Amino acid sequence: MTAAPPRRRTLAGLAFAALAAVAAAAAEIPVIQAMQDDDTANPGMLFVLDGEAAWNRKAGAANRACADCHGDARVSMSGVAARYPAFDESRGRPVDLEQRIEMCRGERQQAPPLQFESQELLALTAYVARQSRGQPIAIADDQRTRKFIDAGREIFQRRQGQLNLSCAACHDDNWGQKLAGAPVPQAHPTGYPLYRLEWQSLGSLQRRLRACMSGMRAEPYAYGAAELVDLELFLMKRAEGLTVETPAVRP
Amino acid sequence: MTARILINVPAKARRGEIIEIKTLISHPMESGFRVGFNGALIPRDIITRFVCTYNGEEVFRAELSPAIAANPFIAFSTIATESGTIAFAWSGDNGFSAAEFATITVE
């Protein structure tokens, strides 16, 4: 690496810097960190309970529950969220965890699709992702996924919107600084779907990305857009080695 | 959807010990001041009252207002006097009511 700006991290330094920064991002507000760590104080756990009920509830024309095929989620779903978004053969591109659940719902349960950001989809996703808590993020980097990771990186670095900002302009070059009084994080999506106190609800990574885009006065991609999934994939690849925190709590 | 409730009460305590009790319940706590997509006010829908009883005796009560966020988290302390049941009850607008209990062993 030559003449990299001081805040641009090398790949080797990524894990250490990121670990420290993620811990710092939450630790800056110890009350929120304590809330996240206590399962009886973490409001995201209310959604996990809903998700557990939905996991065991029969749905659709097939009259099958998730549990009828996958059994105990604590076993079958352990580690799954740590490797999503993942490449899907039938679609020929990566799908995120929400889309994977929707596909399973449509094809196996023959149930009507859940809407993005619906309570039930968030709850199911949180329940599935909860089973990977504490496991390191590991995204497959192979011939099939590489071009989508690159596409995500390109979106991350592309300047867009009326403010002419890129994701990287804040989250690579200025993390740790303040934006309107709030710390700029490194944008590692380790705890999604997460409970944001501002939202007073659980929300997906796509919701967060869209909020960031409208913040830089760019046109947000629609829910489920290929670009959003590519960006999710790149961000998860970028966060590789950090542990899953779902359901995280953020201000 | 029925309300989800999370309770944290220590399973065991010494007699006379101060114990912390934490409760969390899922509820939208719709303030009644927000306007929906059609321009009309969204009607108020909040929890108005929370009561905790320890072996039938009231030890803590809260009156909740529209300014309280969704999924209210209420933590408080009491003195562990004897083994028994600590019961929690929430009630509010539109006939909302929910209840939960926990048992405690005091030595």
Side-chain angles (χ1 to χ4, degrees), chain B residues 9-67:
Chain B
V9 173
K12 279 185 182 174
R14 279 175 287 107
R15 194 176 305 277
E17 186 183 342
I18 297 171
I19 53 167
E20 190 183 25
I21 297 174
K22 294 189 261 190
T23 71
L24 183 63
I25 184 168
S26 65
H27 196 283
M29 293 297 280
E30 186 58 58
S31 69
F33 297 114
R34 293 200 310 158
V35 174
F37 289 118
N38 58 1
L41 276 182
I42 304 172
R44 194 183 92 159
D45 179 17
I46 64 169
I47 295 174
T48 51
R49 196 179 162 85
F50 167 75
V51 178
C52 171
T53 54
Y54 188 164
N55 282 341
E57 186 192 350
E58 182 177 303
V59 291
F60 182 86
R61 181 176 68 224
E63 284 168 11
L64 287 81
S65 70

Side-chain angles (χ1 to χ4, degrees), chain A residues 38 40 46 50 53 195 200, chain B residues 1 4 6 8 22 69-71:
Chain A
D38 178 352
T40 54
L46 297 168
D50 270 343
Y195 194 92
Q200 299 188 31
Chain B
M1 222 178 274
R4 299 281 170 198
L6 289 166
N8 189 348
K22 294 189 261 190
N71 306 321

